Coordinates of all heavy atoms in Angstrom, one line a residue:
I1 N 104.7 97.9 107.3 CA 103.3 97.9 107.1 C 102.9 96.6 106.2 O 101.9 96.0 106.5 CB 102.8 99.1 106.6 CG1 103.1 100.3 107.5 CG2 101.2 99.1 106.4 CD1 102.8 101.7 107.0
S2 N 103.7 96.5 105.2 CA 103.4 95.3 104.2 C 103.3 94.0 104.9 O 102.6 93.1 104.6 CB 104.5 95.3 103.1 OG 104.4 96.4 102.3
E3 N 104.3 93.8 105.9 CA 104.5 92.5 106.5 C 103.1 92.2 107.3 O 102.7 91.1 107.2 CB 105.6 92.6 107.6 CG 105.9 91.3 108.1 CD 106.9 91.3 109.3 OE1 107.1 92.4 109.8 OE2 107.3 90.2 109.7
V4 N 102.5 93.2 108.0 CA 101.3 93.0 108.7 C 100.2 92.5 107.7 O 99.4 91.6 107.9 CB 100.8 94.2 109.3 CG1 99.5 94.0 110.1 CG2 101.9 94.7 110.4
L5 N 100.1 93.2 106.5 CA 99.1 92.9 105.5 C 99.4 91.5 104.9 O 98.4 90.8 104.6 CB 99.2 94.0 104.4 CG 98.7 95.4 104.9 CD1 99.1 96.5 103.9 CD2 97.2 95.4 105.0
R6 N 100.6 91.2 104.6 CA 100.8 89.9 104.0 C 100.6 88.7 104.9 O 100.1 87.7 104.5 CB 102.3 89.9 103.4 CG 102.4 90.9 102.3 CD 103.8 90.9 101.7 NE 104.1 89.6 101.1 CZ 105.3 89.2 100.9 NH1 106.4 89.9 101.1 NH2 105.5 87.9 100.3
L7 N 100.9 89.0 106.2 CA 100.6 88.0 107.2 C 99.1 87.7 107.4 O 98.7 86.5 107.4 CB 101.2 88.4 108.6 CG 101.0 87.5 109.7 CD1 101.8 86.2 109.6 CD2 101.4 88.2 111.1
H8 N 98.3 88.8 107.6 CA 96.9 88.6 107.9 C 96.0 88.7 106.7 O 95.0 88.1 106.8 CB 96.5 89.7 108.9 CG 97.1 89.6 110.2 ND1 96.9 88.5 111.0 CD2 98.0 90.4 110.9 CE1 97.6 88.6 112.1 NE2 98.2 89.7 112.1
E9 N 96.3 89.4 105.7 CA 95.4 89.6 104.6 C 95.8 88.8 103.3 O 95.1 88.9 102.3 CB 95.3 91.1 104.2 CG 94.9 92.0 105.4 CD 93.5 92.1 105.6 OE1 92.7 91.4 104.9 OE2 93.0 92.8 106.6
R10 N 96.9 88.1 103.4 CA 97.3 87.2 102.3 C 97.4 88.0 101.0 O 97.0 87.6 99.9 CB 96.3 86.1 102.0 CG 96.1 85.2 103.2 CD 96.8 83.9 103.1 NE 96.5 83.0 104.2 CZ 97.2 83.0 105.3 NH1 98.2 83.8 105.5 NH2 96.9 82.1 106.3
M11 N 98.1 89.3 101.0 CA 98.2 90.1 99.8 C 99.5 89.7 99.2 O 100.5 89.3 99.8 CB 98.2 91.5 100.3 CG 96.9 92.1 100.6 SD 97.1 93.9 100.9 CE 95.4 94.3 101.2
S12 N 99.6 90.0 97.9 CA 100.9 89.9 97.2 C 101.8 91.1 97.7 O 101.3 92.1 98.2 CB 100.7 90.0 95.7 OG 100.4 91.3 95.4
R13 N 103.1 91.0 97.4 CA 104.0 92.0 97.8 C 103.6 93.4 97.2 O 103.6 94.3 98.0 CB 105.4 91.6 97.2 CG 106.6 92.3 97.8 CD 107.9 91.8 97.3 NE 108.2 90.6 98.1 CZ 108.9 90.5 99.2 NH1 109.3 91.7 99.8 NH2 109.1 89.4 99.9
K14 N 103.2 93.4 96.0 CA 102.9 94.6 95.3 C 101.6 95.2 95.9 O 101.6 96.4 96.2 CB 102.7 94.4 93.8 CG 102.5 95.7 93.1 CD 103.1 95.7 91.7 CE 102.8 97.0 90.9 NZ 102.8 98.2 91.6
E15 N 100.6 94.4 96.1 CA 99.3 94.9 96.7 C 99.6 95.5 98.1 O 99.1 96.6 98.4 CB 98.3 93.7 96.9 CG 97.6 93.3 95.6 CD 96.8 92.0 95.9 OE1 97.3 91.2 96.6 OE2 95.7 92.0 95.5
A16 N 100.4 94.8 98.9 CA 100.7 95.2 100.2 C 101.5 96.5 100.2 O 101.2 97.4 101.0 CB 101.4 94.2 101.0
W17 N 102.4 96.7 99.3 CA 103.2 97.9 99.2 C 102.3 99.1 98.8 O 102.3 100.2 99.5 CB 104.3 97.7 98.2 CG 105.3 98.9 98.2 CD1 105.3 99.9 97.3 CD2 106.4 99.0 99.1 NE1 106.3 100.8 97.7 CE2 107.1 100.3 98.7 CE3 106.9 98.3 100.2 CZ2 108.1 100.7 99.4 CZ3 108.0 98.8 100.8 CH2 108.6 100.0 100.4
N18 N 101.3 98.9 97.9 CA 100.5 100.0 97.5 C 99.5 100.4 98.6 O 99.2 101.5 98.8 CB 99.7 99.5 96.3 CG 100.6 99.5 95.0 OD1 101.6 100.1 95.0 ND2 100.1 98.7 94.0
R19 N 99.1 99.3 99.4 CA 98.1 99.6 100.5 C 98.9 100.3 101.6 O 98.4 101.2 102.2 CB 97.6 98.2 101.0 CG 96.9 98.4 102.4 CD 95.6 99.0 102.3 NE 94.5 98.1 101.9 CZ 93.9 97.2 102.7 NH1 94.2 97.2 104.0 NH2 93.0 96.3 102.2
S20 N 100.3 100.0 101.8 CA 101.0 100.8 102.7 C 101.1 102.2 102.4 O 101.0 103.1 103.3 CB 102.4 100.3 102.8 OG 102.4 98.8 103.0
I21 N 101.2 102.5 101.1 CA 101.2 104.0 100.7 C 99.9 104.6 101.0 O 99.8 105.7 101.6 CB 101.6 104.1 99.2 CG1 103.0 103.6 99.0 CG2 101.4 105.5 98.7 CD1 103.4 103.5 97.5
E22 N 98.8 103.9 100.7 CA 97.5 104.4 101.0 C 97.3 104.7 102.5 O 96.7 105.7 102.9 CB 96.4 103.3 100.7 CG 95.9 103.5 99.2 CD 95.1 102.2 98.9 OE1 94.2 101.9 99.7 OE2 95.3 101.6 97.9
M23 N 97.8 103.8 103.3 CA 97.7 103.9 104.8 C 98.4 105.1 105.3 O 97.9 105.9 106.1 CB 98.2 102.6 105.5 CG 97.4 101.4 105.3 SD 95.7 101.5 105.8 CE 95.8 101.9 107.5
L24 N 99.7 105.4 104.8 CA 100.4 106.5 105.2 C 99.7 107.8 104.8 O 99.7 108.8 105.5 CB 101.9 106.5 104.6 CG 102.8 105.4 105.1 CD1 104.2 105.6 104.5 CD2 102.9 105.4 106.7
K25 N 99.1 107.7 103.6 CA 98.3 108.9 103.2 C 97.2 109.1 104.1 O 96.8 110.3 104.5 CB 97.8 108.6 101.7 CG 97.3 109.8 101.0 CD 97.1 109.4 99.6 CE 96.5 110.5 98.7 NZ 96.3 110.0 97.3
M26 N 96.5 108.1 104.5 CA 95.3 108.2 105.3 C 95.6 108.8 106.7 O 94.8 109.5 107.2 CB 94.7 106.8 105.5 CG 93.3 106.8 106.3 SD 92.6 105.1 106.3 CE 93.4 104.5 107.7
V27 N 96.8 108.5 107.2 CA 97.2 109.1 108.5 C 97.8 110.4 108.4 O 98.4 111.0 109.3 CB 98.0 108.1 109.4 CG1 97.2 106.8 109.7 CG2 99.3 107.8 108.7
G28 N 97.8 110.9 107.2 CA 98.2 112.4 107.0 C 99.7 112.5 106.9 O 100.2 113.5 107.2
I29 N 100.4 111.5 106.4 CA 101.9 111.7 106.1 C 102.1 112.2 104.7 O 101.6 111.6 103.7 CB 102.6 110.4 106.4 CG1 102.6 110.1 107.8 CG2 104.0 110.4 105.8 CD1 103.4 108.8 108.2
P30 N 102.7 113.4 104.6 CA 102.9 114.0 103.2 C 103.9 113.1 102.5 O 104.8 112.4 103.0 CB 103.5 115.4 103.5 CG 103.9 115.3 105.0 CD 103.2 114.3 105.7
A31 N 103.8 113.2 101.1 CA 104.6 112.4 100.2 C 104.8 111.0 100.6 O 105.9 110.5 100.7 CB 106.0 113.1 100.1
P32 N 103.7 110.2 100.8 CA 103.8 108.9 101.3 C 104.6 107.9 100.3 O 105.2 106.9 100.9 CB 102.3 108.4 101.4 CG 101.6 109.4 100.5 CD 102.3 110.6 100.5
E33 N 104.6 108.3 99.0 CA 105.4 107.4 98.1 C 106.9 107.4 98.5 O 107.6 106.4 98.3 CB 105.2 107.8 96.7 CG 103.8 107.8 96.1 CD 102.9 109.0 96.6 OE1 103.5 110.0 97.2 OE2 101.8 109.0 96.3
R34 N 107.3 108.5 99.0 CA 108.7 108.6 99.4 C 108.9 108.1 100.8 O 110.0 107.5 101.1 CB 109.2 110.1 99.3 CG 110.6 110.3 99.2 CD 111.0 111.8 99.2 NE 111.0 112.5 100.4 CZ 110.3 113.6 100.6 NH1 109.5 114.1 99.6 NH2 110.2 114.2 101.8
R35 N 108.0 108.4 101.7 CA 108.1 108.0 103.1 C 108.2 106.5 103.3 O 108.8 106.0 104.2 CB 107.0 108.5 104.0 CG 107.0 110.1 104.1 CD 108.1 110.5 104.8 NE 108.0 112.0 105.0 CZ 108.9 112.7 105.7 NH1 110.0 112.1 106.2 NH2 108.8 114.0 105.9
V36 N 107.4 105.7 102.4 CA 107.4 104.2 102.6 C 108.8 103.7 102.5 O 109.2 102.6 103.0 CB 106.6 103.5 101.5 CG1 105.1 103.4 102.0 CG2 106.7 104.0 100.1
L37 N 109.7 104.4 101.7 CA 111.1 103.9 101.6 C 112.0 104.3 102.7 O 113.2 103.8 102.7 CB 111.6 104.5 100.2 CG 110.9 104.1 99.0 CD1 111.2 105.0 97.8 CD2 111.1 102.6 98.7
E38 N 111.5 105.2 103.6 CA 112.4 105.6 104.7 C 112.4 104.6 105.8 O 111.6 103.8 106.0 CB 112.0 107.0 105.1 CG 112.2 108.0 104.0 CD 112.0 109.5 104.4 OE1 111.4 109.7 105.5 OE2 112.5 110.3 103.7
Y39 N 113.5 104.9 106.7 CA 113.6 104.0 107.9 C 113.1 104.9 109.1 O 113.1 106.1 109.0 CB 115.1 103.7 108.1 CG 115.6 102.7 107.1 CD1 116.1 103.2 105.9 CD2 115.5 101.4 107.3 CE1 116.5 102.3 104.9 CE2 115.9 100.5 106.3 CZ 116.4 101.0 105.1 OH 116.8 100.2 104.1
P40 N 112.6 104.2 110.2 CA 112.1 105.0 111.3 C 112.9 106.2 111.8 O 112.3 107.2 112.1 CB 112.0 103.9 112.5 CG 111.8 102.6 111.7 CD 112.6 102.8 110.5
H41 N 114.2 106.0 111.8 CA 115.0 107.2 112.4 C 115.0 108.4 111.5 O 115.4 109.5 111.9 CB 116.5 106.7 112.6 CG 117.3 106.4 111.3 ND1 117.4 105.2 110.8 CD2 118.0 107.3 110.5 CE1 118.1 105.3 109.7 NE2 118.4 106.5 109.5
Q42 N 114.5 108.2 110.2 CA 114.4 109.3 109.3 C 113.2 110.2 109.5 O 113.0 111.2 108.9 CB 114.5 108.9 107.9 CG 116.0 108.2 107.5 CD 116.0 107.6 106.1 OE1 115.4 106.6 105.9 NE2 116.5 108.3 105.2
L43 N 112.3 109.6 110.3 CA 111.0 110.4 110.5 C 111.0 111.1 111.9 O 111.7 110.7 112.8 CB 109.9 109.4 110.5 CG 109.6 108.4 109.4 CD1 108.4 107.5 109.6 CD2 109.4 109.2 108.1
S44 N 110.3 112.2 111.9 CA 110.2 112.9 113.2 C 109.3 112.1 114.2 O 108.6 111.1 113.7 CB 109.5 114.3 113.0 OG 108.1 114.0 112.6
G45 N 109.2 112.5 115.5 CA 108.4 111.7 116.4 C 107.0 111.6 116.0 O 106.4 110.6 116.1

């Protein structure tokens, strides 16, 4: 998610990472601070 933000929104690494957590929260993913660190195969469908 950070990569998209840094590419199009010119955000710093830290800003983009924080926005990624916000985005996961917005789409209803519980414990987003933990989920951002996970890989796709660790998530359910």
Side-chain angles (χ1 to χ4, degrees):
I1 301 174
S2 295
E3 187 191 12
V4 181
L5 290 162
R6 294 181 63 202
L7 177 69
H8 291 297
E9 305 278 359
R10 305 258 183 271
M11 287 185 175
S12 72
R13 192 173 284 271
K14 182 147 178 40
E15 283 174 318
W17 188 263
N18 290 337
R19 169 76 80 84
S20 302
I21 294 172
E22 272 170 47
M23 291 305 300
L24 291 183
K25 194 169 173 180
M26 187 175 85
V27 298
I29 289 185
E33 299 78 5
R34 199 177 76 236
R35 295 290 188 182
V36 277
L37 298 164
E38 294 188 345
Y39 293 88
H41 70 266
Q42 293 173 284
L43 304 179
S44 68

